[in-house]
Amino acid sequence: MKRIGIMLDWEIIQKGIRGDKSYERLPYYVEIGKELGLEPVFFHPRHVLEGDGRVRGYFWNGGKLIPRLVHVPRVIHNRVLTGDKKARAIIARLGKKRKVFNGLVVRDKRKVHQMLWKNTEIRAFLPRTVPYSPANLRQFLDAYRIVYVKPAIGSVGIGVGRIEKQGNDYHFISSKIRRTLSRQRLFSFVKTWVGNRRFLIQQGIPLARYEGRTYDIRVSVQKNGERQWTVSGMVAKVANRKNKLSNLSRGGRAYPLHVVMDETFSREQQEKIREQIEVAAVEIAKVYGSHFPSLADLGMDMGIDQNGNPFLIEVNVRDQRYSFFKAGEKGMFKQTYRHPLEYARSFYAGT
């Protein structure tokens, strides 16, 4: 049986050692790995010993993780997202000596948008996005009824501000703030709120709604055993009424996609919309992956407008996947674990 390295965040490993559950389903890696002839070795980059040849790896015994010193596996699925310089240096080194997929990539949303925008075939799926400045904010508020102000690097909706024009006033909503401001006061407020941090301004898409609330769609896009990009699943994330955010950690709720789409679209329309989303997601993954060949596992947030046209909201280089579990889409949830392992196995073919 070949070994596959699964690099996980430090906290996830610690939970596994204690036998506590986390959003990473460690038994799935073991169960699917066994079917594919792969044995998972779980570790954090800091568990790699000097010289990068051996690692203090952890093995699942059915209830918790047990340590064992082993050789660093030839193929590694990176699930670590960290700013820690030492850990990043180890990931970079391993990437030169082993097959590490989903290695270090640019996560700056502005740079990713610029990179994708250059490709005219996918430009139609991208909302306008520019660096934050008072002048750019003024231009966007003149052009669009809804505008988002978001950190250039960030996740799970932290620091995202939604600005919506209503009459002569503007509603500003974030995970913790709700304000109604005049235009002049809005500029002053946003400037203070952004501070010295790098932020973006993004065109707000008039998203389709379910029970009066907007929703977006988490699309898992992964490379399979044939090393081709494929969609492993789609699930709807319905926004919280208070903060208008769909992130599950910010009060959003996950539903099977057909449940929310039934309210607005016929089954025939839904089939066409799903096809459009799938085509857009795979094309976006191909373009992103052409710049970063190690990419093999992405979680895209995509929106559809009231006509069903797909738009990319953002790309996540490590999909936490639990939105599929929360929506009761167990088949899709498991598929998001299967495809990366099938992809890993392809590198052992013929050995």
Side-chain angles (χ1 to χ4, degrees):
M1 191 174 278
K2 308 294 184 184
R3 283 185 175 150
I4 164 77
I6 311 288
M7 275 197 297
L8 300 173
D9 286 334
W10 186 265
E11 295 78 13
I12 302 295
I13 296 285
Q14 298 311 307
K15 282 185 176 182
I17 291 168
R18 296 193 300 268
D20 296 339
K21 283 186 177 180
S22 68
Y23 62 79
E24 288 280 12
R25 294 295 192 269
L26 306 188
Y28 278 14
Y29 289 108
V30 177
E31 179 191 327
I32 296 166
K34 196 173 183 180
E35 288 177 38
L36 300 174
L38 297 172
E39 182 181 33
V41 182
F42 302 100
F43 62 97
H44 182 270
R46 284 176 175 264
H47 289 131
V48 177
L49 274 57
E50 197 171 340
D52 303 332
R54 291 168 76 79
V55 62
R56 182 182 171 85
Y58 288 84
F59 294 78
W60 186 251
N61 75 348
K64 62 181 182 178
L65 290 175
I66 304 297
R68 199 192 320 165
L69 195 64
V70 294
H71 290 288
V72 175
R74 213 178 92 196
V75 182
I76 300 167
H77 180 17
N78 178 35
R79 297 281 293 158
V80 176
L81 209 57
T82 180
D84 178 70
K85 287 182 180 178
K86 185 176 179 182
R88 288 177 66 84
I90 294 166
I91 295 169
R93 284 204 312 271
L94 287 176
K96 292 173 184 173
K97 303 172 184 179
R98 305 285 193 275
K99 173 61 186 178
V100 178
F101 60 93
N102 264 34
L104 300 178
V105 300
V106 167
R107 291 173 52 229
D108 184 307
K109 292 181 173 72
R110 172 61 178 161
K111 288 181 180 175
V112 172
H113 183 271
Q114 285 178 316
M115 188 175 69
L116 297 176
W117 188 263
K118 287 176 184 173
N119 188 296
T120 53
E121 287 182 23
I122 61 173
R123 195 175 288 173
F125 306 126
L126 306 178
R128 275 190 69 207
T129 304
V130 297
Y132 166 78
S133 72
N136 282 341
L137 180 58
R138 187 172 289 110
Q139 185 191 69
F140 269 56
L141 290 175
D142 288 340
Y144 310 110
R145 192 174 67 84
I146 299 170
V147 170
Y148 284 90
V149 183
K150 55 170 66 174
I153 297 177
S155 60
V156 298
I158 297 170
V160 176
R162 182 181 192 272
I163 302 168
E164 183 175 353
K165 186 174 184 180
Q166 291 198 344
N168 293 323
D169 291 328
Y170 292 86
H171 288 304
F172 180 95
I173 301 171
S174 73
S175 58
K176 296 179 180 178
I177 299 168
R178 289 174 71 88
R179 297 276 179 90
T180 300
L181 303 159
S182 66
R183 188 176 170 101
Q184 191 175 347
R185 284 183 61 209
L186 174 73
F187 282 107
S188 175
F189 175 80
V190 172
K191 189 176 181 181
T192 304
W193 186 68
V194 168
N196 295 321
R197 297 174 295 170
R198 289 175 59 243
F199 267 66
L200 303 175
I201 304 170
Q202 190 172 73
Q203 166 194 357
I205 303 301
L207 295 172
R209 292 173 178 265
Y210 171 67
E211 294 183 345
R213 292 172 291 164
T214 58
Y215 62 88
D216 56 52
I217 300 158
R218 171 52 61 94
V219 186
S220 175
V221 197
Q222 300 173 312
K223 283 189 177 175
N224 57 20
E226 286 75 49
R227 303 187 190 176
Q228 300 297 315
W229 285 107
T230 187
V231 171
S232 302
M234 300 184 203
V235 66
K237 298 183 298 159
V238 179
N240 180 302
R241 287 190 192 280
K242 288 185 179 178
N243 59 26
K244 310 289 187 183
L245 292 172
S246 64
N247 308 79
L248 302 195
S249 60
R250 296 283 171 265
R253 288 190 63 186
Y255 291 86
L257 186 52
H258 72 88
V259 170
V260 300
M261 290 177 75
D262 276 346
E263 189 173 296
T264 314
F265 305 103
S266 69
R267 285 298 166 98
E268 196 178 352
Q269 287 173 314
Q270 288 182 41
E271 198 174 320
K272 188 180 175 186
I273 292 166
R274 280 176 180 269
E275 284 175 12
Q276 287 178 313
I277 293 170
E278 200 162 317
V279 168
V282 168
E283 284 305 311
I284 290 164
K286 284 178 180 175
V287 174
Y288 199 175
S290 69
H291 291 268
F292 301 101
S294 82
L295 283 176
D297 185 7
L298 300 170
M300 294 186 196
D301 287 325
M302 299 193 72
I304 53 170
D305 64 18
Q306 284 104 333
N307 298 317
N309 300 310
F311 291 90
L312 176 70
I313 296 170
E314 64 183 50
V315 183
N316 302 282
V317 293
R318 187 195 60 178
D319 186 358
Q320 292 184 342
R321 302 170 177 161
Y322 58 71
S323 49
F324 295 98
F325 178 78
K326 292 283 188 183
E329 294 282 19
K330 303 292 171 60
M332 291 181 189
F333 185 51
K334 212 160 190 178
Q335 189 83 303
T336 64
Y337 284 81
R338 179 174 292 278
H339 277 150
L341 291 181
E342 288 178 345
Y343 178 66
R345 186 181 64 170
S346 76
F347 291 96
Y348 285 115
T351 62

